[in-house]
Amino acid sequence: MWWWRTTSSDPAGDTAVLSSAERERAARIKDPERAAAFVTGRTVVRGLLGEVLGVQPQSVPLGRAPCPDCGDREHGPPALLSPGTPPRISLSHTAGHGLLAVARFPVGVDLEQRRPLDLATVGGKALTARERAVLAAAPAADHSALFFRCWTRKEAVLKAVGTGIVKPLDELDVRPEQPGHALVTAGLPGRERAWLIRDLALPAPLVAAVAVPREHGGNRFQRAGQAR
């Protein structure tokens, strides 16, 4: 697992290693800083995956798998499209930072930058009734940390499922009162399974989580390291 940070002093990303679809996507981003961050992020991701696969960054078969719900690749999860059984991957970006996970089993990661929020507005849409009660019982100073623990855990497990946020978040309880990790059940109807979610230790104000199937929870995770 790797995380990275891009700043205005970082060298520009290399569009030559990007796919034509990635270059087209970058061209559609109107904000120059966001476009540069996208190119730099994909350059880093392709470099890391190239090292894992033993190929040049431009040869990394990075694309999208079909959505497990509807089969559409347009909003399917990021995937390596090489023949055989390639590693599973998950990506997340926030405010100039990125996170990449690679595993031989389903994996999901989410990365957010903690910030003040109007919890009265967002909490009802993103939290279960029990999670809202946990936040209500906590000191106000802890609300932001607890909310983003909930959010990153939910995103991570839904990315591991492969659907992303297609179901109401207020139906998925991720036990924010339990620091460090949580066990939850999630998945498409008839295909639910147990997932282990672990909080990742990254420098504040970053908040991150990784989710894997419970049966792989005993696997040793390499601590998130800075890619550059």
Side-chain angles (χ1 to χ4, degrees):
M1 195 176 308
W2 299 268
W3 70 275
W4 62 90
R5 177 183 180 186
T6 58
T7 68
S8 58
S9 61
D10 286 330
D14 184 1
T15 56
V17 307
L18 272 58
S19 68
S20 58
E22 289 169 332
R23 290 193 292 270
E24 290 171 4
R25 179 176 170 183
R28 292 195 300 268
I29 301 175
K30 296 181 179 180
D31 184 332
E33 290 189 6
R34 288 184 58 212
F38 172 78
V39 172
T40 300
R42 283 305 168 96
T43 301
V44 173
V45 168
R46 285 184 165 275
L48 292 170
L49 291 175
E51 293 178 9
V52 171
L53 299 176
V55 301
Q56 294 298 311
Q58 60 269 29
S59 298
V60 172
L62 183 60
R64 288 187 177 275
C67 170
D69 186 23
C70 69
D72 191 341
R73 287 184 183 271
E74 288 297 318
H75 58 265
L80 294 172
L81 305 180
S82 55
T85 307
R88 303 290 190 93
I89 65 171
S90 185
L91 298 167
S92 187
H93 302 272
T94 185
H97 298 264
L99 185 64
L100 166 68
V102 181
R104 290 289 177 183
F105 39 80
V107 62
V109 293
D110 189 55
L111 174 68
E112 302 290 341
Q113 181 168 280
R114 197 172 69 212
R115 56 196 181 277
L117 290 174
D118 181 359
L119 295 178
T121 300
V122 300
K125 299 177 181 179
L127 305 179
T128 66
R130 202 195 64 81
E131 289 169 340
R132 292 196 299 273
V134 169
L135 264 71
D142 294 340
H143 285 180
S144 179
L146 287 170
F147 176 83
F148 280 103
R149 178 183 292 166
C150 282
W151 185 271
T152 54
R153 287 180 175 185
K154 289 171 191 264
E155 281 258 30
V157 74
L158 292 175
K159 286 183 177 182
V161 169
T163 59
I165 301 178
V166 297
K167 65 175 291 183
L169 292 180
D170 61 4
E171 296 179 3
L172 176 62
D173 195 303
V174 291
R175 308 293 190 225
E177 72 279 10
Q178 298 176 9
H181 71 277
L183 281 171
V184 304
T185 299
L188 295 171
R191 287 184 275 171
E192 297 91 348
R193 67 192 300 182
W195 300 89
L196 173 67
I197 312 171
R198 292 185 180 177
D199 302 325
L200 298 175
L202 293 179
L206 296 178
V207 183
V210 57
V212 298
R214 181 177 62 180
E215 61 267 26
H216 294 290
N219 288 60
R220 184 177 180 181
F221 283 83
Q222 179 180 345
R223 185 178 178 181
Q226 194 162 5
R228 56 186 303 177

